[in-house]
Amino acid sequence: MTKEPIGTTTTDKTTGTVTGTFTFAGWDEQPVVGADGGARIAHAAVVNDYTGAVEATGTSCEYTIAYTSETVGAFVGYEFVDGKLDGRAGSFVIEQRGSFGADGTIRCSFTVLPGSGTGDLAGLTGAGSFTAREGQSTTPYSLDYAVEG
């Protein structure tokens, strides 16, 4: 994990840019409609484990995946994270949007769903990204965030 210094701390807000990694701990994908190998929609229930600035195990993520071919497509999803962010305990929801290509690379941008933070993470906002590559056991992420209070 690398962590850049926290940008600003005041009595009103803490901001920072943080990094770490996650692993896919579980992936259950089911077809919804369409033909194998062609355009189709699927649903995936995914479990992730985070280390680094985000510390959380067994997150719950739900994806809707649109395939345009066997190995190319796009996805949207929501992930519930319950753990710690930069030492603050609580939970929050991440909204994810990304794409994947024939080379096995997954690119995703995500935002913290406004109003979803609880505990020490109440008032959390933020945005980040990750790029996953086929064959990697862990995926690096980065997150720019702000927490009120």
Side-chain angles (χ1 to χ4, degrees):
M1 170 191 84
T2 59
K3 183 171 127 181
E4 295 179 18
I6 292 177
T8 314
T9 302
T10 67
T11 56
D12 298 318
K13 188 181 285 192
T14 300
T15 63
T17 299
V18 294
T19 61
T21 61
F22 70 91
T23 58
F24 293 113
W27 185 284
D28 179 24
E29 186 172 329
Q30 300 296 319
V32 175
V33 69
D36 283 343
R40 66 188 189 282
I41 294 175
H43 175 263
V46 179
V47 175
N48 293 314
D49 293 333
Y50 284 83
T51 61
V54 175
E55 297 174 30
T57 58
T59 68
S60 178
C61 185
E62 300 292 325
Y63 288 118
T64 298
I65 307 165
Y67 288 88
T68 55
S69 73
E70 184 62 32
T71 57
V72 177
F75 61 91
V76 295
Y78 289 93
E79 183 169 15
F80 182 82
V81 179
D82 187 9
K84 291 184 179 180
L85 168 59
D86 219 7
R88 294 173 177 247
S91 64
F92 57 97
V93 174
I94 302 170
E95 180 178 34
Q96 302 180 23
R97 206 170 267 289
S99 63
F100 52 95
D103 66 353
T105 301
I106 301 167
R107 291 179 174 78
C108 179
S109 297
F110 58 86
T111 57
V112 174
L113 187 64
S116 68
T118 67
D120 294 338
L121 298 173
L124 176 67
T125 59
S129 65
F130 68 81
T131 300
R133 291 186 169 71
E134 190 172 349
Q136 284 182 320
S137 60
T138 61
T139 299
Y141 65 84
S142 65
L143 171 65
D144 296 321
Y145 77 93
V147 179
E148 299 294 327

